[in-house]
Amino acid sequence: MSQDLTGTAIASNAVATTRQICCELRIAWGRTHDTWPTDWATQATNETARLRDVSWDRRFNLATDLSLGQAPVAQMRLTLDNRDQRFSPFNSAGPLYSSLSADATTAGGSTVRYSKMWQTPVRLRMGFVDSIAGAQYLTMFTGLIDQPGETYGLGGDTVTLNVLDRGAALLDDKSSTRIDQNILPHEYLAKLLITYAGINTSGMDYGLAPIPFAWLDDEALWKEIQDVAGADSGYAFFDELGAFVFKAATWWATAPHSTASQATFTTARFQNLAPETKHADIATGAIIEYQPRSHGGEQIIWRASSTIVLPPGTTTIQAKFSYPVTLILDPLQPMDWLPISGGGIDVSGQIELTFENKQAQRCDLRFVNNSNVTAYVPNMRLRGLVLVGGPQEQITIDVDTPLVPTKQHRVYNNPYMQTWQQANIAAELAAHRMRYPRLTYRITGPALPWLQLGDMVTIDAAAPVTADRTAIVTGLAFSWQPDQPWLMTVDAVDYAGLFEHAGNYHIVGTDNYGAKVAFV
Amino acid sequence: MTNYTTVAPWRTGDVVSATKLTQMTDNLAYVTGLYNQRHYVYDSGADIINGWNGSTPILRRPTQPWVKGKFHDAWICHNGDRLVVYAEITDNGNPIGLSYDKDGDTNPQHFPLVNGLNTLQLNTTGFYQYQPVRIRIETVYQTGYDDSLWVRYIYQTNSNTPSWPTLPAFTNGTASSAADLNALVAATDKARQCFEQPISSGYYFCDAPWVEQGFMGYVRRSHQFFNLDIVASGENTGYVFLNLNGQNAWGYTFPPGNAGFDGMVAVDLTSLGSVPAVGNWYLVQTGYNPQEGHEQACVFVWSMAEQPGKTYANFDTMTRWEHGDLVDGDILGVMVDNLATLNTNRHWINTACRTGYYRVNSPTDEPQYGRYSAYRVHRWLAYEAFVDDDGKRASPQILWASGNRGLQSYSLPAADQPSFFDLESTPVKPGMYMRITGCKFAIQVPQVLGGVYA
């Protein structure tokens, strides 16, 4: 994706003999993820002068098959000068006091002062001072404070802020939904993000295979988002600007920034270069499990565990279904429910029942007892049209010419992997991606701030193993202290062998029929 | 069994995915198979009133299948917005009406019927796809008039039969386009919508003494062959026959010694003197002509249905795609050719399933209900247990055979309302023969859909 450098001299200043670093740290005190700033210049405070140390990193999980879809939340660590206790939430004389903490009153009348720094938006921009244009920035990190820490004493009064990217807001967000059918991954991701996190999305890749049935039942959103992307053999993450990114399985095979080098590392451009061959990750094939689902007809979806007691007035209970449900059928009397008095008299004429908060695996039953006596509903049940899971299926793909004794990689437990198509794409990718001993690189040196995950870089060093190689960036780590060099560590995976027919895939609308080959 | 999956739309700039092309090929193969499925004969006729149980008429099937009556009950799994009924009505001043009734619906739709072909526009609001619906055709006045009704067939079709996209040529050397590939996807899906219909079971005869009863039904000409799977034994010189489109297509005279017939009769419809035109419904008659003094016969009609020949010669073999395959326009062109063949034969026919009642004056009062036979295709069986005149509910069963005449049984729940049963939970695999007994109807559906509630 390589950040846009149009109109800047960042690329040349980044490799200049003398680099003058510029930095801007803004924190939107008093705001949260739910009140995300739309204008950082006016809605956030410039705290750059207080910055003592900063480092951040973002990366994909490099284990085994490059763990399709697994992109841990990126982190940034800030150390700020706090000698005047500006960032101390309990410093009532501090200028940020009302933004850093607040009062609450307990039921018993006690006052509790609490820190409210959690999920405060943070943005870091860095760049270089150009001799003509002045300071030119790129956004390096946008996220939310996860964990603040204060230190006082001989070491100096500082506050450290551990900041996570915007995925942090979704880590523990448990949501439930109805069932979406035959929905494309990017459509479902967009729906989850706007509905449950208020995050708009645009520019996402299209997925290759629709998900037949998708729903949530108290699931953590970020985990689900990773699984949705993984089911399409793609990746989902938040980028440096705080924008949500979904990249499909074709990403590194065809995207311009993944097929054309975005930076070249020569001996003059790095401090250390450490190639490593990961023999442990080599495999002769892949086993991908998937769980087909289909409509399962009418079933009893819920039975009350005990007699429902309905005093006069409104009573609401939650029904958790035995199956995912596409339609709750109207309960029939007396088979499904029969309100009676304690003496067994039918009082159904006095009881209203409505369904509220209907989700795939739960709903609220709201009873209104319009009489002045308590009613009872024994052995109540609900019927509905349900989804059922078929037997677990799997696809096994072995490479034609294995390089080691049989060793198959297995992917399982992704609830969104429901079809042969999804599994076949994952199996083809994983099997071929893991058939060769994987060559990876760790490069340390001066920061090239435009690099992003998925970018192709060229490594052209003197040693034979590192001469004229191309690789895909899978991890980026930066660190800086004022008046110190701005350093970077790049993790990259060698491009050779990632795709069997790299450079020869047929692009719709670009290539002719009869030319080039099909992707997985 | 369903093997159709939704294909993500193609866009300019997409990388051609072998998995996705294979998915498209598999979808087309599945739809081609649906086109090539059996078509069972509709159980034509009408029922007569044979007494009253209070104010409820006791319905009986007349001894002779050609006799007219006052009632015709059938069920359909809703899929379409038009009902087509061919009714033979004697104009005796007693009008005939049809009700389209979700079970328990307090306000079913009513339509008057005329003699001949009736095309009824349904109000589909409130129906979900494949919902079982009862169709009752009856005289408005049930007493005081002669029996005047005989129904040839009932089926549902759709006024909005999906339009067919223009299919591309896929000429090698020309630029690929998303529109080309999407046209394949769209055409396949439109063909699926037409051919993936509920499958109403056929009618089978049991081993009751079978005297001058026979069967009359209608089937829509779709394929080349009509297959009759029959086991018959009878008395000397008795004669079992199959007439198609008013012509004798097969016959068997019992030789001395009660030698029977056991086998599949395959009639090439194109060999008949008067070949029924594709798309036309034609009469199917089977029966036993006894000789005087030799009236008894035992006949099993296991199944009778139209089906294609074994070679499916109209369809070309399609290649599945693998990673690294050349994106060859000629291979894509095979899909175009096969889709064109499907389009030529495309129709939307969702045939109803007639409810059977006891046959009047049968020596054993042999029940006709639940005499359904079919080969399994879909996963779900829509049915409801039959209730006799005394209110006694039958015990529905599936009798299934695994390649020979021996039958084994599997009990279905005695559902007191239209229900769907998962055939995957039975030993009956797709392609296997089964009889369904004790039901008001037996219709296979590919999915059970209720829609996602709002």
Side-chain angles (χ1 to χ4, degrees), chain A residues 429 432-436 494-500 502:
Chain A
L429 274 178
H432 293 297
R433 187 174 283 180
M434 300 172 66
R435 67 184 300 181
Y436 309 106
D494 198 87
Y495 198 75
L498 280 181
F499 302 100
E500 292 289 290

Short mmCIF file of all heavy atoms in Angstrom, two decimals, chain A residues 429 432-436 494-500 502:
data_model
loop_
_atom_site.label_atom_id
_atom_site.label_comp_id
_atom_site.label_asym_id
_atom_site.label_seq_id
_atom_site.Cartn_x
_atom_site.Cartn_y
_atom_site.Cartn_z
N LEU A 429 -3.41 -21.93 -1.60
CA LEU A 429 -2.46 -20.91 -1.19
C LEU A 429 -1.47 -21.47 -0.17
O LEU A 429 -0.25 -21.30 -0.31
CB LEU A 429 -3.21 -19.73 -0.56
CG LEU A 429 -3.73 -18.65 -1.50
CD1 LEU A 429 -4.49 -17.61 -0.69
CD2 LEU A 429 -2.59 -18.00 -2.25
N HIS A 432 1.07 -24.33 -1.48
CA HIS A 432 2.16 -23.87 -2.34
C HIS A 432 3.06 -22.86 -1.63
O HIS A 432 4.23 -22.76 -1.92
CB HIS A 432 1.60 -23.29 -3.63
CG HIS A 432 0.93 -24.33 -4.47
ND1 HIS A 432 1.63 -25.40 -5.00
CD2 HIS A 432 -0.35 -24.51 -4.84
CE1 HIS A 432 0.80 -26.18 -5.68
NE2 HIS A 432 -0.41 -25.66 -5.59
N ARG A 433 2.49 -22.12 -0.71
CA ARG A 433 3.27 -21.12 0.00
C ARG A 433 4.26 -21.79 0.96
O ARG A 433 5.27 -21.22 1.30
CB ARG A 433 2.30 -20.22 0.77
CG ARG A 433 2.91 -19.03 1.41
CD ARG A 433 1.84 -18.15 2.00
NE ARG A 433 1.15 -17.36 0.99
CZ ARG A 433 0.17 -16.52 1.25
NH1 ARG A 433 -0.26 -16.38 2.48
NH2 ARG A 433 -0.38 -15.82 0.29
N MET A 434 3.93 -23.00 1.37
CA MET A 434 4.76 -23.65 2.39
C MET A 434 5.63 -24.77 1.82
O MET A 434 6.30 -25.47 2.56
CB MET A 434 3.86 -24.22 3.49
CG MET A 434 3.03 -23.16 4.18
SD MET A 434 1.83 -23.90 5.27
CE MET A 434 2.92 -24.61 6.46
N ARG A 435 5.62 -24.94 0.52
CA ARG A 435 6.31 -26.10 -0.03
C ARG A 435 7.83 -25.92 -0.05
O ARG A 435 8.56 -26.88 -0.14
CB ARG A 435 5.80 -26.40 -1.44
CG ARG A 435 6.13 -25.34 -2.46
CD ARG A 435 5.51 -25.64 -3.80
NE ARG A 435 5.97 -26.92 -4.33
CZ ARG A 435 5.59 -27.42 -5.50
NH1 ARG A 435 4.72 -26.76 -6.23
NH2 ARG A 435 6.05 -28.57 -5.92
N TYR A 436 8.28 -24.65 -0.03
CA TYR A 436 9.72 -24.39 -0.04
C TYR A 436 10.14 -23.88 1.33
O TYR A 436 9.37 -23.19 1.99
CB TYR A 436 10.07 -23.33 -1.09
CG TYR A 436 9.49 -23.61 -2.45
CD1 TYR A 436 8.41 -22.88 -2.93
CD2 TYR A 436 10.00 -24.64 -3.24
CE1 TYR A 436 7.86 -23.15 -4.17
CE2 TYR A 436 9.46 -24.90 -4.48
CZ TYR A 436 8.38 -24.16 -4.95
OH TYR A 436 7.83 -24.44 -6.17
N ASP A 494 10.61 -13.64 1.59
CA ASP A 494 11.10 -13.67 0.21
C ASP A 494 9.95 -13.96 -0.76
O ASP A 494 9.07 -14.80 -0.49
CB ASP A 494 12.18 -14.74 0.07
CG ASP A 494 13.01 -14.52 -1.17
OD1 ASP A 494 13.99 -13.76 -1.09
OD2 ASP A 494 12.65 -15.10 -2.22
N TYR A 495 9.94 -13.24 -1.86
CA TYR A 495 8.81 -13.35 -2.79
C TYR A 495 8.83 -14.65 -3.58
O TYR A 495 7.78 -15.17 -3.95
CB TYR A 495 8.82 -12.16 -3.76
CG TYR A 495 7.49 -11.94 -4.44
CD1 TYR A 495 6.43 -11.37 -3.75
CD2 TYR A 495 7.30 -12.29 -5.77
CE1 TYR A 495 5.20 -11.17 -4.36
CE2 TYR A 495 6.08 -12.09 -6.39
CZ TYR A 495 5.02 -11.53 -5.68
OH TYR A 495 3.81 -11.33 -6.28
N ALA A 496 10.03 -15.16 -3.84
CA ALA A 496 10.12 -16.37 -4.66
C ALA A 496 9.39 -17.53 -3.97
O ALA A 496 9.64 -17.83 -2.82
CB ALA A 496 11.59 -16.74 -4.88
N GLY A 497 8.49 -18.14 -4.68
CA GLY A 497 7.78 -19.28 -4.14
C GLY A 497 6.50 -18.95 -3.43
O GLY A 497 5.73 -19.84 -3.09
N LEU A 498 6.23 -17.66 -3.21
CA LEU A 498 4.94 -17.33 -2.58
C LEU A 498 3.78 -17.69 -3.50
O LEU A 498 2.73 -18.13 -3.05
CB LEU A 498 4.88 -15.83 -2.25
CG LEU A 498 5.60 -15.36 -0.99
CD1 LEU A 498 5.40 -13.86 -0.81
CD2 LEU A 498 5.10 -16.11 0.24
N PHE A 499 3.98 -17.50 -4.80
CA PHE A 499 2.94 -17.83 -5.78
C PHE A 499 3.59 -18.59 -6.93
O PHE A 499 4.61 -18.16 -7.47
CB PHE A 499 2.26 -16.55 -6.29
CG PHE A 499 1.65 -15.73 -5.20
CD1 PHE A 499 2.30 -14.62 -4.70
CD2 PHE A 499 0.44 -16.10 -4.64
CE1 PHE A 499 1.75 -13.87 -3.68
CE2 PHE A 499 -0.12 -15.37 -3.61
CZ PHE A 499 0.53 -14.25 -3.13
N GLU A 500 2.97 -19.67 -7.30
CA GLU A 500 3.56 -20.57 -8.29
C GLU A 500 3.70 -19.91 -9.66
O GLU A 500 4.58 -20.25 -10.44
CB GLU A 500 2.71 -21.83 -8.42
CG GLU A 500 2.74 -22.72 -7.19
CD GLU A 500 4.09 -23.41 -7.05
OE1 GLU A 500 4.41 -24.29 -7.86
OE2 GLU A 500 4.83 -23.05 -6.11
N ALA A 502 3.70 -16.42 -10.28
CA ALA A 502 3.78 -14.99 -10.03
C ALA A 502 4.07 -14.23 -11.32
O ALA A 502 4.92 -14.62 -12.12
CB ALA A 502 4.87 -14.71 -9.01
#
